[in-house]
Amino acid sequence: MDNVQLAKDCVRLVGGKENVATVTHCFTRLRFQLKDKSKADIAALKELDGTLDALEVGDQTQVIIGPQVNEVFKEVEKVVGKSVADPTPVQDDAAAAADGATEKKGFTVGRLLDTVAGIFAPVITAITAGGMVKAALLIMGLFGLPTDSQEYYILNFIADAVFYFLPILLAFSSANKLGCNPYIAAIVGGVLLHPNWTALVSANEPVSFFGLPVTLYNYSSSVLPIILTVLFMSFVERFAEKVSPNVVKAVLQPLLTLGITAPVALIVIGPLGSIIGGFLASILSFLDTNVPILVPTIVGAVCPLLVFAGMHLAIFPSLQTIQLADMGYETVCGPGMLAANMAIAGSTLATAFRVKKAKNREMSISTGITALCGITEPALYGVVFKFHRPLVAGMIGGAVGGLFAGIMHLKRYAFATPGIPALPTFMGDDPMNIVIAVATVVIAFVVAFIASLILGVDEDGAEKQKA
């Protein structure tokens, strides 16, 4: 496959580089934010050699590439430029609208989900890196690395750094998504983590700012406070741009933006976000304590549908990060998604025994193996949704595996795409937890495999429908 040509074709079929507001990517798909979605030729994008599918989700135009998406994304960036918000202020709303850069206003659920997904998609790789370092450290501990050694200490804070400084990462990605200066946003994230602020929190003595009481919260590993702060900052930045005279705008606008946003974040928005986050954590804790089978079972069943629509990034990362920070483990995404991914692998590999055409068999085997590693999009687009019945089998296997994980109260201690290589993220204080994780893999895979063999595939019907 020629990644250069594929990138050029993708950009051309979404309306050209002039129509691309931003472009990001996750593990398998390009996520275009277009100025005019009507210019995108979805049908032609679906038929490109090298794409698995294309669809519109909320305000995004998504092109599913597969595991090699990172290479294609680099070529796309060469065509359209880096997808980083311009740190220079726009001239005015009219000029922005004339350039097509101003998004449609108004709240919709689709736009909310698109915004959340756009915020988390760029930072997933960093979070996964930290989670996998933590998993590798756990394995090294099992093979004799002392927990009180300097090597363990250093590797541990390398892994923790991603989560500790998560507000800065989210500040940058939130600013890119919301169209404000990402560098000032990152500074605001740094304010919430500054050692002097941490010292005030540790001292736990009354603090005021010009007579206003300041509530002390530890914002490391937090999610909602910085996202809400950057949302507020986007309005402050526009206000500062309007009231700043042109002759001093270059210095007055950033002064007003940071000078207003940071104190308001410490006094109002940060505590508000922490309260909301605490409330969500309480809900998750209640579910984890009282109905532990509910969430893993539901996630195991419906996860393929969320991944197919690209909405898993809008739902899971924020909730599981909140729970990880609050409890040291999470049960929101990891257990259910582990079951879902293994079930999709089972139903896809079983399809290889039921199809007659060699190309479909090869596709089932290759994408099924990829799904075992936690990357299910190639299987979903290339096999499961194409033949329909494997989807039903996968949802059955995912639900059964998720039910087992819930009954056994499976926990995940670090973040990584749930698959066989990421099983060490289920290693924790309870040595049986990893055994339960392996059993979840086996149950979900076997149930989906058998269900897929029984249900079979309508190969001829699928080919006719595609034609």
Side-chain angles (χ1 to χ4, degrees):
M1 181 195 306
D2 186 348
N3 290 334
V4 176
Q5 187 59 48
L6 178 58
K8 291 179 179 178
D9 288 340
C10 286
V11 174
R12 173 176 56 83
L13 292 174
V14 297
K17 66 178 182 179
E18 298 81 8
N19 193 40
V20 177
T22 61
V23 57
T24 57
H25 74 95
C26 54
F27 287 116
T28 58
R29 65 188 80 197
L30 299 172
R31 295 169 176 261
F32 289 94
Q33 192 82 26
L34 303 180
K35 298 173 184 177
D36 184 356
K37 290 197 300 182
S38 65
K39 293 182 179 180
D41 190 341
I42 300 296
L45 285 167
K46 290 175 180 282
E47 297 301 323
L48 277 179
D49 182 22
T51 66
L52 295 171
D53 205 345
L55 65 160
E56 291 184 348
V57 180
D59 287 345
Q60 285 187 349
T61 300
Q62 300 180 2
V63 183
I64 295 83
I65 303 294
Q68 71 276 17
V69 66
N70 188 50
E71 288 75 17
V72 179
F73 174 75
K74 291 177 182 178
E75 300 301 328
V76 169
E77 278 201 321
K78 292 178 183 178
V79 178
V80 304
K82 295 286 185 179
S83 294
V84 176
D86 188 352
T88 58
V90 296
Q91 297 303 312
D92 51 43
D93 288 342
D99 291 337
T102 301
E103 295 185 8
K104 296 178 181 179
K105 302 189 183 297
F107 173 83
T108 64
V109 174
R111 187 165 292 124
L112 174 63
L113 293 176
D114 169 71
T115 299
V116 176
I119 289 172
F120 278 96
V123 304
I124 289 297
T125 302
I127 296 175
T128 300
M132 292 309 296
V133 171
K134 181 74 74 172
L137 186 59
L138 290 170
I139 295 175
M140 294 170 68
L142 290 177
F143 282 91
L145 181 66
T147 57
D148 58 352
S149 66
Q150 292 183 345
E151 291 79 10
Y152 189 98
Y153 180 81
I154 292 174
L155 287 172
N156 192 49
F157 76 67
I158 288 174
D160 288 341
V162 178
F163 301 96
Y164 183 89
F165 294 105
L166 185 61
I168 296 178
L169 298 178
L170 290 175
F172 199 90
S173 64
S174 296
N176 280 331
K177 185 63 182 177
L178 296 172
C180 52
N181 191 304
Y183 303 99
I184 294 181
I187 291 173
V188 175
V191 169
L192 300 181
L193 301 173
H194 196 281
N196 289 357
W197 172 257
T198 304
L200 290 175
V201 175
S202 299
N204 197 27
E205 296 178 356
V207 176
S208 64
F209 184 79
F210 291 109
L212 297 173
V214 179
T215 306
L216 300 176
Y217 278 100
N218 184 350
Y219 295 110
S220 65
S221 305
S222 63
V223 173
L224 291 181
I226 191 60
I227 294 178
L228 294 176
T229 296
V230 175
L231 176 61
F232 172 74
M233 175 186 146
S234 67
F235 292 100
V236 173
E237 189 176 76
R238 288 198 289 271
F239 165 78
E241 192 275 329
K242 289 181 179 179
V243 301
S244 301
N246 288 332
V247 67
V248 293
K249 183 173 294 185
V251 293
L252 185 57
Q253 182 181 356
L255 168 63
L256 290 174
T257 302
L258 181 60
I260 295 173
T261 303
V264 172
L266 292 173
I267 297 169
V268 181
I269 302 177
L272 176 62
S274 295
I275 292 171
I276 297 173
F279 177 70
L280 291 174
S282 298
I283 293 176
L284 296 175
S285 177
F286 174 83
L287 294 175
D288 184 58
T289 302
N290 296 281
V291 280
I293 66 171
L294 179 64
V295 175
T297 304
I298 294 176
V299 171
V302 305
C303 189
L305 304 178
L306 296 175
V307 174
F308 178 80
M311 284 294 99
H312 55 300
L313 294 181
I315 299 174
F316 294 139
S318 57
L319 294 178
Q320 64 192 14
T321 304
I322 289 171
Q323 195 178 31
L324 273 169
D326 184 67
M327 303 177 67
Y329 64 85
E330 66 92 11
T331 57
V332 176
C333 172
M337 201 168 182
L338 176 67
N341 290 351
M342 296 304 98
I344 290 299
S347 66
T348 303
L349 289 171
T351 302
F353 291 91
R354 297 302 305 266
V355 293
K356 299 176 182 178
K357 297 182 178 179
K359 66 175 183 178
N360 290 333
R361 185 175 300 107
E362 292 172 2
M363 175 67 74
S364 299
I365 294 173
S366 63
T367 60
I369 293 173
T370 303
L372 286 172
C373 297
I375 306 299
T376 59
E377 280 95 330
L380 290 175
Y381 291 99
V383 178
V384 172
F385 278 88
K386 176 181 177 181
F387 295 117
H388 306 304
R389 293 175 189 171
L391 171 63
V392 177
M395 294 179 70
I396 293 172
V400 174
L403 177 63
F404 172 80
I407 292 173
M408 302 304 295
H409 204 211
L410 178 64
K411 306 178 184 70
R412 184 170 66 159
Y413 296 92
F415 184 97
T417 301
I420 291 178
L423 280 175
T425 60
F426 291 89
M427 296 170 61
D429 297 333
D430 181 3
M432 283 301 298
N433 197 72
I434 184 63
V435 177
I436 297 170
V438 172
T440 299
V441 168
V442 174
I443 291 171
F445 181 91
V446 171
V447 170
F449 190 93
I450 294 174
S452 187
L453 286 178
I454 294 172
L455 294 175
V457 295
D458 184 6
E459 189 172 13
D460 294 333
E463 295 294 338
K464 290 178 181 178
Q465 185 176 10
K466 183 178 180 180

